[in-house]
Amino acid sequence: MGEILLMKGNEALAEAIIRAGVDGYFGYPITPQSEVMEYLAAAKPEERTGMVLLQAESELAAINMLYGAGATGKKAITSSSSPGISLMQEGISYIAGAEIPVVVVNVVRGGPGLGTIQPAQSDYFQATKGGGHGDYHLLVLAPNSVQEMSDFVPLAFDLAFKYRNPVMILSDGLIGQMMEKVELFEPIPRWTDEYIREHHGNWATIGKTPDRERNIITSLDLVPERMEKHNMHLKEKYEQMEREEVRFEEIQTEDAEYLFVAYGSSSRIAMKAIKLARAEGIKVGLLRPITLYPFPKKRLRELADQVKGMLSVELSLGQMVEDVKLSVECRIPVEHYGRVGGMIPTPEEVVEALKTKIINR
Amino acid sequence: MAKSKVIPHHDVPLDQIIKPENIIFKKTKLFTDNVLSYCPGCGHGVAHRLILEVIEEMGIADKVIGIAPVGCSVLAYEFMDLDMQEAAHGRAPALATGIKRTNPDKFVFSYQGDGDLAAIGTAETIHAANRGENITVIFINNGIYGMTGGQMAPTTLEGMKTSTTPYGRDPRQMGHPIKITELVAQLPGTCYVTRQAVHTAALVRKAKKAIRRAFEYQKANKGLSFVEIVSNCNSGWKMTPVQAIKWLEENMLPYYPLGDLKDVGLD
Amino acid sequence: MNEEIIIAGFGGQGVLSLGKILAYSGIMEDLEVSWFPSYGPEMRGGTANVTVILSNERISSPVLNVYDTAIVFNQQSLDKFEPKVKPGGLLLYDPNGITRHPERKDIDIYQIDATKEGAALGSTKVLNMVALGAYLKLKPIVKLENVHKGLLKSLPERHHHLIPLNEKAIGVGMEKVKLIHKAEHVNAK
Ligand SMILES: Cc1ncc(C[n+]2csc(CCOP(=O)(O)OP(=O)(O)O)c2C)c(N)n1
Ligand code: SF4
Ligand SMILES: [Mg+2]
């Protein structure tokens, strides 16, 4: 068993970045995730693993540093919060188009605009539906505990390199700022240049040798036939993700008559709401999507034949609820309940919403 | 008639003390009554006052559009009784350009911290200056990111400890503290570039003159005027206000010397 | 065992670190724990609070609306959290600076003069440990040896020489905690 510590989500993420054998972290301070860079700066990653740590002049610069480093087969990561992630969207679109494996962490705060520094889940659309321009998807992981803030870092890199696609860890101010027990994983050594040449030398720009064609990283193709082919290739990747990477957790769904659908911090609140509701005899369960893209459509479609209604609980005005509705194809009522602007619903409120919006509708 | 207020423990009605002939200092009416959100001893408040006094004295309040940055002064619009816009982090000079180009008869100023102006907004700063936008930029250099809790700024001095340089800024890793004002002064689009400070009464008077001159340049349509104010951040530097002023004088001023860097002449 | 606690007071009273030490002690006791602070500008000189949960089950929501225990250090926090203690629950408060005292009849109310006792120990920094002692006397959910381990874990090494003082403060809290009102019989769980 690894070491057990009490850490903030942001700190666990930072420690995991060093342990995951990451080559470079590039970021710009923003609340509520500044602890990530602060932790890294204090931990001397350059001495521990040789990892590069750089405070960029902006998020625009940071994401383009990821572009450069990721395109050489190095593991590159950044973390930010909503306004900074908005600034990165151009770069993320280019990275998706050029098929560069990188990891971007969004510790979401309320918006739009400068909004608030308190927790929110209002960047779901941006994370799962694009965000930048063009037909592309990020693979989106949604941790709901400090443990997952740590565990999802190596997972995100595995997926990023498996698909040569940017992966986003979509957290929020609540998971970032809370402390919980975390069991740290054993450090994974950084890849050697030989390893990168062997495993990623067929695409990464690591210096052309006479034995192969040159590698080019680009998102541009002016020949429509070829560009269409590239788009179709991306589509195949997304379809493969939908087949192979859907992850979710179910809680007390076996006998459920109603279902909460919630991810990240709101899934924690929903778990408490289940306890309160079941104490009143209401049989409710939870489906927690762990991958927001690809979304657990199939399982929700199955559950629609079992439960009488679903309530999507989100710290937003109703974003994921659209995917829930698409999944259940109008078979049962699906409603949304959420608080916004940094407000966090109480478990009691969630039970009340289940009653008024679904049970007694 | 309303009953006169009495100062606690002093039984003297306030209006017997506050008489016109006793008043030696008055808050400009362009300050709103909102309580300043700055830490005690912070230079932001003084800088606000000087800008507002200049605007009041020039009688141009109805023609001024101000831009607040992202930084501790993000709420500057709460304190300045002027039409104000809030910019995204670093983008104030672009907003200012948009405002001034479409409203050439207005006075436009941006108020920006070092992170805002010299890191995330460097491109906007340089290009607005290079285009010679007829605007006034007030630049508060406190060598740190105050608002987000004391991280390194582009202007953080060599060896200075911040929360993202806990072992001190190492120029080999983080580069040297940027003298953006010297850079800006080189651009032909700028007419008046100066570096001031506000931690003593004499310097406050000088800084006010400089701000006045910057607005006069704007009035004369001479190009971009730029006033740096070397300031303190007690919270970010983790010092008392008195320690911070001493530290500023001993460390900031030798690297960021005060005075005019450029003054093309007003006529 | 599932104990849901809110700790609240002025920034600088050691509210967050009290929560952290409690949480770390819980880990040493092999419990599940969570700690969620108020964060942001609210904390500059203003009030700070932290929700701490210790449980032998997986913890669901780290933010709550009602609590088994409230430990409060100022009037604002007392006003805010007194109504949020579950019937039959515990309210522990420091009377320092309190002008409106708790009024509920359906909860246990205890006082600990943490500010005063802390100062008597020669450090304004240990008032939170005095309160921790008082709390552990009333609800011994973690063993003292595990609190010791918790202190070792949560204090940076350069502060380890302060552990004896902290433990002394815990002892004072255990001794000086004072009953104000015992909950009238309630039918809560
Ligand atoms: C795109 C974006 N990135 C990051 C932030 C977070 N942020 C807010 S203020 C600030 C730094 C401000 O420092 P400075 O400009 O020096 O102003 P000061 O607070 O020191 O006056 C940062 C990084 C943000 N609001 N938006
Ligand atoms: S944090 Fe620094 S810059 Fe911000 S108000 Fe306080 S002293 Fe001023
Ligand atoms: Mg600054």
Side-chain angles (χ1 to χ4, degrees):
Chain A
M1 204 165 83
E3 208 181 333
I4 293 201
L5 289 171
L6 180 71
M7 289 180 122
K8 278 191 175 189
N10 287 336
E11 295 166 345
L13 176 86
E15 178 59 32
I17 287 172
I18 302 176
R19 289 178 181 238
V22 171
D23 298 293
Y25 172 96
F26 306 91
Y28 187 79
I30 186 167
T31 314
Q33 65 77 56
S34 293
E35 293 88 356
V36 181
M37 204 193 309
E38 292 174 349
Y39 181 99
L40 290 173
K44 301 192 174 173
E46 65 288 350
E47 286 175 19
R48 276 175 61 183
T49 67
M51 183 187 107
V52 171
L53 166 68
L54 188 64
Q55 180 176 332
E57 70 272 28
S58 70
E59 293 86 353
L60 200 55
I63 192 70
N64 285 293
M65 292 170 183
L66 259 66
Y67 186 116
T72 64
K74 301 277 181 182
K75 291 185 185 168
I77 191 168
T78 185
S79 65
S80 185
S81 178
S82 310
I85 298 287
S86 287
L87 204 53
M88 290 183 190
Q89 289 305 327
E90 176 193 74
I92 292 175
S93 164
Y94 280 65
I95 286 170
E99 301 194 76
I100 305 171
V102 303
V103 178
V104 176
V105 185
N106 185 358
V107 183
V108 180
R109 64 190 231 182
L114 269 182
T116 165
I117 58 175
Q118 300 302 321
Q121 295 182 313
S122 40
D123 297 354
Y124 178 91
F125 283 154
Q126 186 194 52
T128 61
K129 311 286 173 189
H133 63 283
D135 255 330
Y136 75 91
H137 280 288
L138 307 178
L139 203 152
V140 184
L141 296 169
N144 85 339
S145 64
V146 173
Q147 186 66 52
E148 288 185 349
M149 285 290 270
S150 165
D151 294 347
F152 284 6
V153 174
L155 172 64
F157 276 104
D158 287 349
L159 293 168
F161 277 87
K162 174 172 174 188
Y163 290 96
R164 276 182 59 197
N165 201 70
V167 173
M168 176 171 280
I169 297 177
L170 191 73
S171 175
D172 62 57
L174 201 158
I175 304 293
Q177 293 294 330
M178 78 185 286
M179 285 208 270
E180 282 185 320
K181 237 165 83 155
V182 51
E183 184 182 341
L184 298 170
F185 56 87
E186 285 303 315
I188 303 163
R190 283 174 51 225
W191 290 340
T192 59
D193 287 351
E194 295 73 58
Y195 180 95
I196 293 173
R197 176 164 295 118
E198 196 179 316
H199 291 85
H200 304 295
N202 57 338
W203 62 268
T205 48
I206 51 176
K208 181 183 174 315
T209 42
D211 56 330
R212 63 163 173 82
E213 292 291 297
R214 67 197 203 285
N215 288 335
I216 294 173
I217 299 288
T218 179
S219 60
L220 169 77
D221 202 327
L222 293 175
V223 181
E225 288 78 4
R226 282 210 309 257
M227 189 62 205
E228 182 180 51
K229 214 169 134 215
H230 176 61
N231 280 139
M232 295 316 283
H233 159 68
L234 294 180
K235 179 167 182 254
E236 275 162 26
K237 287 204 308 195
Y238 306 140
E239 284 168 354
Q240 187 190 346
M241 289 178 199
E242 300 213 359
R243 284 192 307 274
E244 296 178 17
E245 308 304 342
V246 175
R247 285 170 167 78
F248 55 87
E249 181 189 7
E250 287 183 45
I251 292 175
Q252 293 186 276
T253 50
E254 308 78 31
D255 64 342
E257 292 175 7
Y258 302 97
L259 191 72
F260 292 130
V261 187
Y263 70 95
S265 56
S266 37
S267 68
R268 300 289 296 264
I269 298 160
M271 279 161 63
K272 181 83 183 180
I274 289 178
K275 284 189 193 153
L276 299 180
R278 286 197 172 245
E280 292 182 35
I282 302 170
K283 287 187 179 158
V284 58
L286 167 71
L287 184 133
R288 167 171 83 98
I290 293 173
T291 49
L292 299 180
Y293 184 87
F295 194 69
K297 285 184 209 165
K298 226 174 88 203
R299 183 60 190 143
L300 277 168
R301 170 68 192 77
E302 286 165 14
L303 283 165
D305 292 335
Q306 174 191 325
V307 302
K308 296 182 203 156
M310 297 186 186
L311 187 70
S312 179
V313 184
E314 308 166 50
L315 306 181
S316 78
L317 289 176
Q319 301 194 9
M320 183 180 68
V321 64
E322 294 191 0
D323 284 335
V324 181
K325 282 186 177 163
L326 284 172
S327 305
V328 308
E329 296 167 341
C330 301
R331 284 182 160 73
I332 51 165
V334 173
E335 294 288 345
H336 159 264
Y337 182 72
R339 296 290 300 269
V340 292
M343 296 299 293
I344 300 170
T346 63
E348 288 82 357
E349 260 177 84
V350 173
V351 176
E352 195 49 38
L354 177 69
K355 288 184 197 162
T356 53
K357 293 189 166 211
I358 300 286
I359 301 178
N360 307 323
R361 68 194 252 117
Chain B
M1 206 183 80
K3 230 176 118 200
S4 171
K5 275 194 195 148
V6 172
I7 298 182
H9 317 299
H10 285 275
D11 293 347
V12 189
L14 264 184
D15 54 8
Q16 284 190 20
I17 300 172
I18 304 177
K19 289 190 223 156
E21 62 270 29
N22 288 342
I23 291 174
I24 52 165
F25 178 79
K26 231 165 83 183
K27 143 173 118 63
T28 149
K29 62 179 191 298
L30 291 181
F31 249 131
T32 65
D33 287 334
N34 293 328
V35 178
L36 286 179
S37 52
Y38 304 111
C39 307
C42 174
H44 272 303
V46 184
H48 282 23
R49 168 163 73 82
L50 299 186
I51 296 168
L52 293 175
E53 284 177 0
V54 164
I55 291 172
E56 187 179 5
E57 286 161 22
M58 288 175 75
I60 55 171
D62 58 340
K63 290 198 198 66
V64 171
I65 300 165
I67 301 164
V70 177
C72 276
S73 45
V74 66
L75 293 176
Y77 56 81
E78 295 277 359
F79 314 126
M80 301 188 177
D81 195 11
L82 297 169
D83 281 354
M84 303 270 301
Q85 301 184 6
E86 167 57 37
H89 199 16
R91 310 291 177 245
L95 270 69
T97 301
I99 300 168
K100 188 73 179 193
R101 292 285 178 129
T102 53
N103 301 271
D105 55 331
K106 296 288 191 299
F107 287 85
V108 181
F109 76 92
S110 72
Y111 183 100
Q112 302 176 257
D114 37 59
D116 194 85
L117 181 138
I120 197 168
T122 316
E124 284 78 2
T125 306
I126 297 288
H127 288 285
N130 193 51
R131 287 189 305 264
E133 299 297 341
N134 251 306
I135 59 173
T136 298
V137 174
I138 311 289
F139 165 40
I140 309 297
N141 176 8
N142 55 13
I144 207 153
Y145 286 8
M147 169 164 233
T148 38
Q151 294 86 4
M152 183 191 71
T155 49
T156 294
L157 296 179
E158 206 178 309
M160 188 173 159
K161 286 185 182 161
T162 70
S163 68
T164 52
T165 56
Y167 310 107
R169 179 179 188 158
D170 177 356
R172 286 170 307 174
Q173 292 286 333
M174 314 307 226
H176 293 269
I178 191 168
K179 295 186 175 180
I180 190 110
T181 307
E182 276 79 352
L183 274 169
V184 165
Q186 287 179 31
L187 301 171
T190 54
C191 52
Y192 178 55
V193 180
T194 182
R195 184 181 283 123
Q196 304 288 330
V198 293
H199 59 278
T200 69
L203 288 170
V204 168
R205 278 195 295 276
K206 268 195 166 165
K208 183 172 169 184
K209 277 206 192 105
I211 293 171
R212 172 75 189 236
R213 193 161 176 83
F215 275 90
E216 294 292 351
Y217 266 106
Q218 186 172 165
K219 194 172 178 181
N221 267 317
K222 291 270 186 180
L224 189 134
S225 48
F226 190 99
V227 183
E228 171 177 345
I229 294 174
V230 181
S231 185
N232 56 324
C233 174
N234 323 314
S235 297
W237 296 358
K238 311 222 177 317
M239 293 179 196
T240 65
V242 176
Q243 287 169 333
I245 286 171
K246 186 155 178 277
W247 195 89
L248 182 153
E249 283 181 336
E250 288 170 3
N251 299 278
M252 293 285 278
L253 295 188
Y255 193 82
Y256 299 114
L258 303 183
D260 291 347
L261 287 92
K262 184 178 192 178
D263 192 340
V264 297
L266 250 173
D267 21 56
Chain C
M1 205 283 293
N2 187 61
E3 169 77 353
E4 301 175 339
I5 312 160
I6 181 86
I7 308 168
F10 287 121
Q13 283 180 319
V15 165
L16 301 187
S17 61
L18 164 51
K20 195 171 162 185
I21 290 161
L22 194 52
Y24 247 126
S25 314
I27 291 184
M28 298 303 145
E29 195 92 17
D30 229 0
L31 296 169
E32 297 299 320
V33 302
S34 77
W35 175 99
F36 181 67
S38 54
Y39 65 90
E42 196 186 351
M43 289 175 60
R44 265 199 195 143
T47 60
N49 69 64
V50 60
T51 304
V52 177
I53 305 174
L54 290 91
S55 177
N56 38 30
E57 278 172 37
R58 178 180 176 189
I59 290 168
S60 56
S61 177
V63 273
L64 299 163
N65 189 36
V66 287
Y67 309 91
D68 299 307
T69 297
I71 304 175
V72 298
F73 295 95
N74 65 10
Q75 187 73 59
Q76 274 158 293
S77 305
L78 180 62
D79 294 347
K80 185 163 172 194
F81 294 112
E82 181 187 354
K84 304 215 159 183
V85 178
K86 295 180 196 169
L90 167 66
L91 172 65
L92 173 66
Y93 75 106
D94 183 341
N96 180 50
I98 298 292
T99 50
R100 188 203 63 81
H101 288 262
E103 286 150 15
R104 274 179 66 180
K105 295 285 170 252
D106 59 340
I107 56 175
D108 291 341
I109 298 172
Y110 285 84
Q111 255 186 19
I112 179 68
D113 221 332
T115 309
K116 201 180 94 197
E117 299 297 343
L121 283 166
S123 166
T124 49
K125 293 235 148 88
V126 294
L127 73 100
N128 57 349
M129 290 298 101
V130 177
L132 176 62
Y135 169 71
L136 289 176
K137 171 83 183 187
L138 303 171
K139 290 199 178 178
I141 53 169
V142 285
K143 292 195 238 16
L144 280 182
E145 64 192 71
N146 285 327
V147 176
H148 178 77
K149 288 188 198 157
L151 280 166
L152 278 174
K153 276 276 192 181
S154 60
L155 294 181
E157 227 153 273
R158 62 178 195 281
H159 288 153
H160 278 186
H161 66 282
L162 295 172
I163 290 180
L165 177 63
N166 278 276
E167 292 184 319
K168 201 166 157 200
I170 291 173
V172 169
M174 294 189 128
E175 196 184 310
K176 296 282 166 91
V177 63
K178 186 163 94 191
L179 175 69
I180 300 296
H181 170 83
K182 196 80 192 146
E184 283 152 17
H185 182 73
V186 280
N187 293 326
K189 54 165 190 163

